[in-house]
Amino acid sequence: MAAAAIEKLPQLKSATDGLKEMSDNERSGFINLVSRYLSGEAQHIEWSKIQTPTDEIVVPYDKMANVSEDASETKYLLDKLVVLKLNGGLGTTMGCTGPKSVIEVRDGLTFLDLIVIQIENLNNKYGCKVPLVLMNSFNTHDDTQKIVEKYTNSNVDIHTFNQSKYPRVVADEFVPWPSKGKTDKDGWYPPGHGDVFPSLMNSGKLDAFISQGKEYVFVANSDNLGAVVDLKILKHLIQNKNEYCMEVTPKTLADVKGGTLISYEGKVQLLEIAQVPDEHVNEFKSIEKFKIFNTNNLWVNLKAIKKLVEADALKMEIIPNPKEVDGVKVLQLETAAGAAIRFFENAIGVNVPRSRFLPVKATSDLLLVQSDLYTLVDGFVTRNKARTNPTNPAIELGPEFKKVASFLGRFKSIPSIVELDSLKVSGDVWFGSGVVLKGKVSVKANSGTKLEIPDNAVIKAKDINGPEDL
């Protein structure tokens, strides 16, 4: 990067020193990140050196040993585990205020309710004490603290800590925005989930868990309903002393932008689309060469995290995220937890069934999990065996359905979609109760007209553009 940019560092540093809202750890972490970014230490990938990982590096899930029926083995494994959910996201894309984890997913239960029920069932069944840890951001902290109170009588110890709070940088002047008077929340940002490792350590939680004899943390997004505790993976890691494990799953055309695992110079590492040279982007997106993608379900050894954070060795690839807020161009620098894989000893991937990746990013995902395609048992969302197609239907809902409230308002009840291949809805469409959708269905209301699908309608492989098509 140009020398001019490097010269801006002292000015940025002194402005940051004046920001009282930051802790010393946050200050040094922020300056460290910015100076790495300015020095242009972007890791260059030589395309010709990329190799497809072997089964030793990305272990097929079926080849892992099963856990014995003996409850004492299960208790032994669970006593070494901490479950950590990334809870920094807001439900704004789905029109909700507050943490995304409190959106109701099914039967009146939120993401967080389901997570607590799952862990509580494990603790009750095996007499263990698996703790739940929530990594909040300054955006979700206050709300989460209030919500967590409702679980005080559950058999789960719930811990929370905040990830770092970094100032957005005004792009053209390269100064922290809060030092220019932007003191509200918009002046700050959480620097991505790669921050989970230093923040867990800085919170004091990491040392506390190590002293209790915990060995592994299972990290996952709070909106991934498939990210449940898996004893088979935990057993494998403990037996093989793997410091880090990333769950990957076979790519479908919907996942072509997801990061993938590669072998590179003898080590396993994550390859993200942002690192791919332009001329190879199509190759990266093909599902022939890169068959798997990162689910962001990660299993990491606690002592290894401590060692690497203390040595300041976790130098993950920096993701520059330029934004425009209130008409000002700002820059936020982020890192991703999956990119840390190359710093851990004996790191592996495990190629898991698609059922372990069920994220709810939009109302189209909510439609899937609220439908008869899934059932809810003991907090676990399981797929209906009546569906023979291994992939889920592709669902595209128009902007009228984007917000949760309007999505729920437009369905008297969620349609049956066990035999659906794809659904595309656009315009002012309303669904009655007991509707059944099969095959490829498209429903389009013409501009200015309201289209109502009547109660108990069965629509099979049809394009509907008006009442006459019903």
Side-chain angles (χ1 to χ4, degrees):
M1 192 157 295
I6 300 284
E7 283 166 13
K8 292 176 176 168
L9 199 60
Q11 169 197 344
L12 183 82
K13 192 174 182 314
S14 67
T16 306
D17 285 342
L19 298 173
K20 298 285 173 272
E21 301 93 328
M22 297 176 82
S23 68
D24 290 346
N25 283 328
E26 284 172 324
R27 245 183 230 108
S28 61
F30 172 68
I31 292 299
N32 191 338
L33 193 62
V34 174
S35 45
R36 279 178 54 212
Y37 171 70
L38 291 177
S39 69
E41 63 150 70
Q43 196 214 359
H44 178 65
I45 296 267
E46 279 188 54
W47 201 252
S48 58
K49 288 186 179 175
I50 290 177
Q51 291 179 309
T52 304
T54 61
D55 282 3
E56 278 69 53
I57 293 179
V58 176
V59 182
Y61 182 78
D62 311 343
K63 290 198 174 158
M64 291 182 154
N66 286 316
V67 176
S68 78
E69 296 292 304
D70 183 358
S72 65
E73 182 188 8
T74 302
K75 178 174 163 32
Y76 167 80
L77 294 171
L78 288 171
D79 281 340
K80 298 184 179 303
L81 184 66
V82 174
V83 174
L84 189 155
K85 298 286 177 171
L86 302 169
N87 191 50
L90 292 166
T92 39
T93 39
M94 292 162 79
C96 299
T97 55
K100 188 172 175 189
S101 57
V102 300
I103 292 175
E104 285 188 10
V105 188
R106 182 141 188 158
D107 304 356
L109 298 169
T110 65
F111 290 106
L112 208 48
D113 292 337
L114 296 177
I115 292 163
V116 172
I117 293 167
Q118 291 162 13
I119 298 179
E120 186 164 40
N121 285 333
L122 285 175
N123 287 345
N124 290 341
K125 187 172 177 184
Y126 297 103
C128 51
K129 272 298 215 194
V130 176
L132 170 62
V133 189
L134 302 172
M135 180 169 87
N136 299 320
S137 65
F138 60 86
N139 289 315
T140 59
H141 172 78
D142 293 349
D143 287 336
T144 303
Q145 292 308 98
K146 290 189 197 100
I147 292 153
V148 165
E149 284 173 10
K150 78 178 209 187
Y151 306 116
T152 36
N153 297 325
S154 75
N155 185 18
V156 182
D157 289 335
I158 302 180
H159 303 256
T160 61
F161 69 96
N162 273 19
Q163 72 175 113
S164 306
K165 173 176 167 178
Y166 287 177
R168 284 176 162 155
V169 175
V170 180
D172 52 356
E173 301 169 64
F174 225 80
V175 291
W177 205 10
S179 70
K180 298 206 64 177
K182 185 68 174 171
T183 50
D184 64 3
K185 275 188 173 177
D186 281 346
W188 302 85
Y189 76 98
H193 47 62
D195 186 54
V196 62
F197 305 119
S199 290
L200 183 60
M201 170 103 173
N202 294 338
S203 70
K205 305 275 180 204
L206 183 65
D207 285 333
F209 291 134
I210 290 172
S211 70
Q212 290 164 18
K214 306 292 182 195
E215 289 180 23
Y216 280 87
V217 60
F218 172 43
V219 179
N221 295 352
S222 61
D223 65 4
N224 178 5
L225 294 171
V228 299
V229 170
D230 190 292
L231 294 164
K232 209 159 108 159
I233 297 175
L234 182 59
K235 176 180 178 173
H236 185 94
L237 302 181
I238 291 171
Q239 281 184 339
N240 294 282
K241 300 190 167 46
N242 303 107
E243 286 188 351
Y244 188 111
C245 169
M246 174 188 289
E247 293 185 38
V248 291
T249 197
K251 249 190 206 183
T252 65
L253 290 170
D255 319 302
V256 291
K257 291 182 177 164
T260 191
L261 283 182
I262 56 171
S263 286
Y264 193 77
E265 297 182 331
K267 291 201 88 164
V268 60
Q269 71 180 59
L270 181 67
L271 177 66
E272 296 275 17
I273 194 162
Q275 297 163 274
V276 176
D278 292 347
E279 66 271 25
H280 295 292
V281 166
N282 285 341
E283 197 181 339
F284 176 81
K285 286 182 174 178
S286 90
I287 51 183
E288 277 71 54
K289 178 165 181 178
F290 298 103
K291 295 184 167 69
I292 51 174
F293 76 99
N294 170 22
T295 62
N296 217 37
N297 297 349
L298 311 169
W299 301 74
V300 197
N301 180 283
L302 295 171
K303 285 182 176 165
I305 295 173
K306 182 176 165 74
K307 185 181 74 186
L308 289 165
V309 172
E310 282 178 343
D312 190 25
L314 291 174
K315 299 193 186 304
M316 280 94 90
E317 288 74 20
I318 295 170
I319 307 157
N321 188 354
K323 290 186 179 249
E324 190 166 310
V325 185
D326 298 343
V328 179
K329 287 190 165 60
V330 293
L331 178 64
Q332 46 190 62
L333 303 175
E334 301 170 12
T335 60
I341 189 166
R342 62 193 179 96
F343 301 106
F344 288 84
E345 293 299 315
N346 207 0
I348 58 167
V350 55
N351 195 347
V352 297
R354 183 77 190 198
S355 57
R356 292 192 57 74
F357 184 66
L358 186 60
V360 179
K361 300 289 181 199
T363 50
S364 52
D365 302 320
L366 213 48
L367 175 62
L368 290 173
V369 299
Q370 292 188 348
S371 75
D372 57 352
L373 202 55
Y374 288 94
T375 49
L376 188 63
V377 184
D378 295 342
F380 296 96
V381 177
T382 27
R383 206 153 175 274
N384 187 342
K385 298 230 177 358
R387 183 170 175 88
T388 46
N389 184 339
T391 59
N392 278 346
I395 294 181
E396 263 183 77
L397 301 176
E400 296 80 4
F401 291 81
K402 187 178 177 188
K403 296 187 169 176
V404 174
S406 43
F407 161 82
L408 293 171
R410 287 175 178 273
F411 289 99
K412 267 200 211 164
S413 72
I414 299 293
S416 164
I417 59 171
V418 175
E419 294 177 51
L420 180 71
D421 294 327
S422 66
L423 171 66
K424 191 170 183 177
V425 183
S426 55
D428 187 11
V429 178
W430 299 76
F431 287 82
S433 62
V435 174
V436 179
L437 304 173
K438 302 180 178 190
K440 285 188 173 175
V441 177
S442 160
V443 185
K444 185 181 179 185
N446 293 321
S447 177
T449 56
K450 178 177 180 179
L451 179 56
E452 298 190 47
I453 307 293
D455 293 353
N456 306 315
V458 177
I459 301 171
K460 185 174 181 182
K462 245 176 147 177
D463 288 357
I464 293 171
N465 297 309
E468 66 282 357
D469 297 328
L470 283 162

